[in-house]
Amino acid sequence: MNILYQVAVRNVFRNRRRSLFTLSAIAIGLAVVLIITAVSNAFYRFSIENAVNVKIGALQIHKSGYLSNVSLNQLSFHFQYGQELLRKVESVAGVKAASGRIAFRGLVSNGRNQALFFANGVDVEREQKVCPRWLGTLTEGSQPLLPSDTGQAMVGQELARSLNVAPKGALIRSVVSSETSQQTEPGEFLNLSGSSPQGRQNAIDVQVKATTKSLLPLEEKRSITLPLSAAQSLLGLTGEVTEIAVAVHDLDHLEAVQQRLQAAMGSEFEVSLWSDVQPFLRDVLFRQKVLIGIVSFILFILVLFVIANTMTMAVFERTREIGTMLSVGIKKNQIQRIFFSEAIFVGIIGALAGLLLGLIVVLVLKRIGIPFGSEGFEEGMLYPFLQVPFSCAAFIAAVFCAALAGLFPARRASNMNPVDALRA
Amino acid sequence: MNSSNSSLNALVKDQSKNLIEIHNLKKIYQLGKTTVEALRGVDFSVAEGEFTVVLGPSGSGKTTLLNIIGCLDRASSGSYLLDGEDVSNRDFNDLAEVRNYKIGFIFQNFNLIPVLNVIENIEFPCLVRKEQESRAQLRERVRALCAEVGLERFMKHKPDELSGGQRQRVAIARALITQPRLVLADEPTANLDSNTSDQILELMQRLNRDHATTFLFATHDPRVMDLARRTVRIKDGMVVAN
């Protein structure tokens, strides 16, 4: 090894306590960045999988123009639904399953009160394959919809409470009627009314089979899920749907499947990612990533200052040594190289320790999982994970910080006047 | 024509005998609003192979003179020829090269690099050169020099494992490894006991004799003065006796 690098490396181990402090700062800084990123990755995946597996599906197929006009008249974008179409979708590489749906809005009534609702008519048999957790969290006493059901529905628990309905046999707190100021027993049936794409009004009665809980208040207050056949009957869309939800084998290659599916379906249809269908969720997750990025940046800046401080102190302490080296004919760039490589060496050791520490913590957390959920809900688990490119990038960033931190002290050392340095 | 050529040749020949040629050398420091004249027109020369001592009280300017001769500092005015070359207006890196190839330093405080062992400290000046001899050849020279200065048993020791005298021997070996034309020693015995000082001085005298290396000392030590073949006295920034 070149003598200059030998001097640099040995100087790192010269003041062990200080070097240990600096190395710890780099190691802990990098480890924290890796751990919070791993937890954030787990949360990101959990949120996406939750959204994809509970409600949205990884991809959705609509008639072209649906997403841009969804708030105006979503029902006018209906299309024929059958085995032939499903086969076409499921034959695309990467597609796991597909299921037809009708998403619509209407009024729900218990005979005395009425409220707005957002409903999903689902192909009960297929929905299970596309959104394995589509039943969500059912309240006690609820029964899930079955493929054989035709006139049953699952209702958000707040909506059910406001309309004083409950699944048969469910233990539910009865509500006080505002008109009579007397307690009434909860009913079992609701009347749903909606309009066909042509504006024809229709209504059907459904039996409340389940009430559902959700982390989103709007879901609890407005959501109704009913069998596809019931929705088709209500809306006059026999044999038709407004969307097909698609599950894929690997969420990491979603864009590729989307492109293949779009090519297979042609321009008559638009194939959207879950993030296009739920831009709010996408934006929340993006903001979270930005926040983690800012925290990581601040941590790296702190690490940079710690190294710069150590290196500046080293330059002050070794002023006479610098003078000695200058007296034997070392050049400015060689002095710079000593201190710069010392900073990089500190950075590499610290970053390696941080990488190791971070990976160990992440692996332990991945093995045991982090409980995640709210009271009363089915508990989820976060399994933190790291991607190799990010880990490498974080390692390089830590070393880069160290190099950057070494620049100024190295420059300061190289600009010393030999006489002044020897006199120190 | 012939006579002017022969007088020029004579001048060149005459100058070539002198390793150091200094004319009207001045060094002025600006300390805030005060101007300090450390050297006020020094004329001075040292012939090759000389063992010269520069004497003078503290603040007389002898260290400043040694710094300029050692190319560690530059004069404010005047000329300085080292080995026939004008080095008074060289830039920082050029001076570094001059120091590396032509000058060896021995300091009062030994000034060794603490993280390097004896061998590495000695070979350090050769290892920072752009063009280097083979490592094996260099090691051989270092071993020979260690034997010459009495450090064979301490070659793997770090400076903090050595006594003051041993450290100064390392510094002497480091000063000589580049086979310099000139060795500058600033109070080399000031931090040593009298026995060790005698040994070190004897060593330097022997090296001066055997290697024909020019030695220039700045010292207060009367023993050094006794050994010197020539003494230059400096007072108030001027040579008062030569």
Side-chain angles (χ1 to χ4, degrees), chain A residues 1 19 75 120 160 162 203 209 225 239 270 272 292 362 365 390:
Chain A
M1 197 199 287
S19 292
L75 284 179
N120 252 333
S162 71
K209 202 176 179 190
T225 308
E270 60 187 21
S272 313
I292 297 287
V362 169
L365 289 177
F390 177 83

Side-chain angles (χ1 to χ4, degrees), chain A residues 3-4 6-7 10-11 14 320-321 324-332 334 418-419 422, chain B residues 67 72-73 92-93 96-97 99-100 105 107 109 111 113-116 120 124 127-128 174:
Chain A
I3 191 77
L4 302 180
Q6 277 184 46
V7 170
R10 290 182 198 177
N11 272 319
R14 189 162 158 194
R320 189 186 288 184
E321 242 172 272
T324 303
M325 291 189 202
L326 290 170
S327 73
V328 301
I330 198 168
K331 290 182 179 163
K332 279 186 175 195
Q334 291 175 309
V419 175
L422 282 168
Chain B
N67 285 340
L72 292 169
D73 203 357
F92 189 95
N93 277 337
E97 201 135 306
R99 287 195 297 272
N100 185 266
F105 291 88
F107 298 100
N109 294 314
N111 288 28
I113 299 167
V115 292
L116 299 181
E120 291 162 339
F124 186 79
L127 294 176
V128 297
R174 181 183 63 190

Side-chain angles (χ1 to χ4, degrees), chain A residues 116-170:
Chain A
L116 272 170
F117 71 86
F118 304 119
N120 252 333
V122 297
D123 184 336
V124 175
E125 192 174 2
R126 290 187 151 270
E127 192 69 18
Q128 181 69 30
K129 294 176 191 161
V130 175
C131 294
R133 301 211 297 267
W134 75 284
L135 289 167
T137 308
L138 302 183
T139 58
E140 209 175 326
S142 296
Q143 295 294 321
L145 285 180
L146 298 172
S148 55
D149 289 335
T150 51
Q152 287 78 13
M154 302 196 303
V155 181
Q157 68 169 352
E158 279 301 315
L159 182 61
R161 192 173 292 161
S162 71
L163 294 171
N164 196 25
V165 288
K168 192 178 181 181

